[in-house]
Structures are given as structure tokens and as C-alpha cells.
Amino acid sequence: MNGKFQINGADAYTLYGVLFLEGTLKELIRLPRRKEGYARNWPDENGTERDLSVNAFESRELTLPLLLIGSSRTDFNNKMAALENILTDDEIILDSIDLNRRFKLLYRQMNEITDLQYHPSGDCFAVFSLEMYDDYPTEKFDIV
């Protein structure tokens, strides 16, 4: 599964132990919501007159499901701390190799951990989702 996503140029699985789960690609390609803009609903005419000279869109709020894996308790804790540091520092660059697209995302919050296996002498993992802002909802960034 490694090689499918990169965070700030590093393989998400190798560096952070992160595997993006089913639904991630659907969330990443979801279209943004159009901002209302200027509109006038004339009482004596059908429909609404809209100013289409400016097309603006809301920031997207994405929910990315993921699994974080560590080979030991120490490895898990280190990967979780590294992920926390990068998410809370600044916006991240998320590259989807399958989509051949780059996304510039800002961390909003981590949702409830739905599964946690924390073994003192073996593999440890957590399943949760991250809520992220995409403040560039219509820009297409190529992976460079």
C-alpha cells in the first residue's frame, strides 16, 4: 500500500505509518460548493437573475479516513507524534499518485478513533479520520 500517497514529498506509509482508507479518493475529487454571489429574485419574473461575472467557490471541508500503523508501541507513538507535528504546523501537501494530483490542505480536526489496538510488544494501530480544509477548491496542482 505504500507509494499511493505522499505527505510533503515523503511516502505517507513509510514515514508516518499512514494508509488512507476506502473513500479517500471519492472525498478528494468531490466538487466544491458554489458561493451564492449576487442574485436578484424579481417578484414579477420567473427564476432568479444571477451575476455570473464572478464564479467563486467555498473552501472544501474534506474528511479523510485513515489507518495509522506502528510495528511496536514506540514506533506507533513516534509516528503519531510525527503526524501530529506536521498537521498542526502548517498546511500540508498531499499527493495522490492514483489521481496524479496534488492537494494543499489545512488540518481542522481529528475525529474519534473508531478502532485502537495498542499492544506493548507487537503491532499497534488506530483507525480515525482527519477533517481538512481545501482552500484551493478549483485549482489543479500537478505533482512535481
Side-chain angles (χ1 to χ4, degrees), residues 2 34 44 54 77 92 94 140:
N2 55 353
R34 181 185 298 272
D44 59 339
V54 176
N77 289 339
I92 66 163
L94 179 66
K140 305 290 189 269

Side-chain angles (χ1 to χ4, degrees), residues 68-82:
L68 189 140
I69 303 172
S71 58
S72 67
R73 182 186 295 212
T74 301
D75 185 48
F76 177 86
N77 289 339
N78 289 341
K79 288 180 176 175
M80 189 66 163

Side-chain angles (χ1 to χ4, degrees), residues 10-139:
D11 182 75
Y13 180 74
T14 303
L15 190 58
Y16 302 104
V18 168
L19 294 174
F20 288 88
L21 301 177
E22 184 177 339
T24 298
L25 294 179
K26 291 178 190 177
E27 191 72 1
L28 288 172
I29 64 171
R30 187 171 43 86
L31 294 175
R33 180 180 184 169
R34 181 185 298 272
K35 288 186 177 181
E36 181 61 35
Y38 300 106
R40 175 71 179 166
N41 191 356
W42 299 100
D44 59 339
E45 294 181 15
N46 292 327
T48 302
E49 182 180 345
R50 300 179 193 279
D51 178 8
L52 300 177
S53 63
V54 176
N55 286 321
F57 296 86
E58 301 283 344
S59 291
R60 296 187 312 152
E61 294 183 17
L62 307 176
T63 302
L64 306 178
L66 56 92
L67 167 69
L68 189 140
I69 303 172
S71 58
S72 67
R73 182 186 295 212
T74 301
D75 185 48
F76 177 86
N77 289 339
N78 289 341
K79 288 180 176 175
M80 189 66 163
L83 183 64
E84 179 184 346
N85 286 339
I86 198 157
L87 289 173
T88 58
D89 185 39
D90 202 358
E91 72 180 11
I92 66 163
I93 304 298
L94 179 66
D95 293 337
S96 169
I97 307 307
D98 286 343
L99 295 174
N100 194 31
R101 289 236 347 245
R102 171 168 285 176
F103 300 88
K104 296 180 181 182
L105 304 175
L106 184 64
Y107 171 77
R108 179 174 183 236
Q109 74 177 16
M110 176 182 174
N111 290 330
E112 178 182 353
I113 295 175
T114 58
D115 194 7
L116 176 64
Q117 299 291 324
Y118 202 68
H119 302 286
S121 60
D123 288 345
C124 300
F125 68 87
V127 178
F128 53 91
S129 61
L130 295 175
E131 291 186 23
M132 307 291 287
Y133 292 118
D134 178 3
D135 289 328
Y136 310 93
T138 61
E139 295 185 47

